[in-house]
Amino acid sequence: MGIIDNISSFFRGGRQKNKAKSDPIMSVNDFGGSRTTLPKFAMNGMANSALPKRVMADLRLDERSLNRASIEQLIDILIDAHPDMSFALWNFIRLSNSGYTFFVFKPGKDEVDNKATGLLRDFIERLNQPSTERFSLSRSLDSVINQLIISTVIRGAASLELVLAKNKKDVAFIAPVDPATITFKFEKDRYIPYQFDGKISLDIPTFFYEALDNLIDNPYGRSPVLGAIQMIAFQMQLLNDIAAVVHNQGYPRFDITILEDAILQRMPPHIRNNEAERQKWLNQKLQEIVEMYESLDPDDAFVHYSSVNIDMAGGG
């Protein structure tokens, strides 16, 4: 079987038209073929914060959240929360993914194989077409390249699986894999990739992992943004501290004094001589006053008994 027949068989799905519902390509799930390429969030069945849409709580970084997050989680949050890091990634993607060209050459020759190049073009065009039977994520080559570029910058590596259809003869799509989910084990004098603590082996010829600037004795790549994490985290924490100081000292606040003697005069006699009940009653009255003032709108008037004095503090 020649090279043309091999490519024709491999990308045979590229020339198929009007696929039936029984098409084996359509029956492949979103994250894998012969092996799964499940993302991190799929373990609990929910997308959660893996989606680009974030609630404000996800972006409120303080010292506790910075210390609790893993490196991968911290990078994922900072590329959305920190303007410099977000803009740097945005620029890198636009400069890197500036289009592509492709040719297929005959084996051992500098001559372009037009038939094989056409088959490859058909395959790429098929990836660009959305499904007519169900919702499907974008499988276009441009989208895959974008994800691989992002992965290379923030993870220091790019990995993907060439997902085969159920019949193992057609290519369904190309599935990028988050390198953060990959763990290498040294077995039988070679590195073997695994996912989810060794539960899923990716020791298959259709899985590819390419590290960026990895060391000689380390298969993992090195992210170019990793060196900026400490400085960015320090900067954000410093800004949070400054905001807290300004909020605490820069704005006037109400200084509310509760006259304890006036409150004690209203205390029931059977509680006054019981220290535990006395403290409980005072705390209850204090909480009632706190809740009353916290529920006021900015334009509400202060109406209170003479047992409460209101003054202003700070902001001077």
Side-chain angles (χ1 to χ4, degrees):
M1 183 178 291
I3 182 66
I4 298 300
D5 296 327
N6 279 327
I7 295 178
S8 177
S9 176
F10 200 61
F11 297 118
R12 186 172 53 189
R15 294 190 180 277
Q16 295 178 350
K17 304 296 182 181
N18 301 323
K19 299 182 179 64
K21 289 186 178 181
S22 60
D23 190 338
I25 292 179
M26 297 304 298
S27 64
V28 177
N29 65 54
D30 281 345
F31 298 106
S34 58
R35 293 293 188 275
T36 183
T37 54
L38 287 174
K40 289 176 291 185
F41 65 76
M43 293 300 288
N44 59 11
M46 296 294 291
N48 296 333
S49 60
L51 291 175
K53 181 180 179 181
R54 297 181 183 274
V55 296
M56 286 302 297
D58 293 328
L59 303 181
R60 289 175 184 165
L61 299 182
D62 53 23
E63 187 175 0
R64 179 179 299 178
S65 62
L66 292 176
N67 292 334
R68 188 171 57 244
S70 66
I71 292 297
E72 291 81 11
Q73 292 171 336
L74 192 57
I75 292 177
D76 290 345
I77 293 174
L78 290 179
I79 59 178
D80 287 334
H82 195 274
D84 291 340
M85 192 167 182
S86 177
F87 190 57
L89 178 62
W90 190 92
N91 280 335
F92 195 92
I93 295 172
R94 269 65 196 175
L95 292 174
S96 300
N97 192 7
S98 57
Y100 57 87
T101 57
F102 57 89
F103 299 96
V104 179
F105 292 88
K106 294 182 178 180
K109 300 180 180 180
D110 293 334
E111 182 181 353
V112 174
D113 193 318
N114 293 325
K115 184 177 181 180
T117 302
L119 292 172
L120 181 57
R121 182 180 299 107
D122 290 342
F123 170 68
I124 294 175
E125 290 177 356
R126 176 164 63 81
L127 292 178
N128 294 338
Q129 298 301 317
S131 171
T132 58
E133 298 178 6
R134 62 180 185 180
F135 169 79
S136 63
L137 296 172
S138 174
R139 304 297 186 188
S140 70
L141 190 58
D142 281 325
S143 178
V144 172
I145 292 174
N146 244 33
Q147 291 175 323
L148 294 178
I149 292 173
I150 295 174
S151 175
T152 303
V153 175
I154 67 176
R155 299 286 190 253
S159 57
L160 60 84
E161 180 189 359
L162 187 68
V163 180
L164 303 180
K166 293 292 184 180
N167 58 18
K168 304 296 188 294
K169 296 181 180 179
D170 298 325
V171 176
F173 55 86
I174 300 172
V177 181
D178 186 355
T181 66
I182 304 300
T183 301
F184 285 95
K185 295 184 179 180
F186 194 73
E187 300 174 353
K188 298 180 180 179
D189 296 328
R190 67 188 185 94
Y191 289 109
I192 297 179
Y194 287 92
Q195 279 185 310
F196 304 120
D197 298 325
K199 296 178 182 178
I200 299 176
S201 173
L202 291 174
D203 188 22
I204 52 177
T206 53
F207 174 75
F208 304 90
Y209 182 100
E210 189 66 31
L212 175 66
D213 297 337
N214 58 306
L215 300 177
I216 296 174
D217 57 349
N218 192 334
Y220 301 100
R222 298 156 63 200
S223 170
V225 303
L226 195 59
I229 293 299
Q230 185 173 0
M231 182 58 65
I232 291 175
F234 172 77
Q235 182 188 61
M236 296 192 71
Q237 186 58 51
L238 180 62
L239 292 175
N240 287 338
D241 292 342
I242 293 175
V245 172
V246 171
H247 181 77
N248 187 271
Q249 302 294 330
Y251 297 96
R253 291 167 294 147
F254 290 109
D255 180 8
I256 300 176
T257 303
I258 301 174
L259 303 181
E260 186 176 1
D261 290 339
I263 297 295
L264 289 175
Q265 291 177 5
R266 297 174 183 167
M267 181 181 293
H270 69 279
I271 295 178
R272 190 171 302 166
N273 297 326
N274 188 321
E275 183 62 29
E277 291 296 325
R278 180 173 178 269
Q279 190 61 43
K280 180 179 179 180
W281 190 87
L282 287 173
N283 290 337
Q284 180 180 355
K285 293 304 177 183
L286 177 62
Q287 187 61 33
E288 288 178 0
I289 296 174
V290 170
E291 292 177 355
M292 180 184 67
Y293 282 102
E294 286 181 344
S295 63
L296 291 175
D297 291 327
D299 56 348
D300 287 344
F302 287 94
V303 181
H304 55 84
Y305 292 105
S306 60
S307 58
V308 177
N309 289 335
I310 300 177
D311 201 349
M312 301 297 292

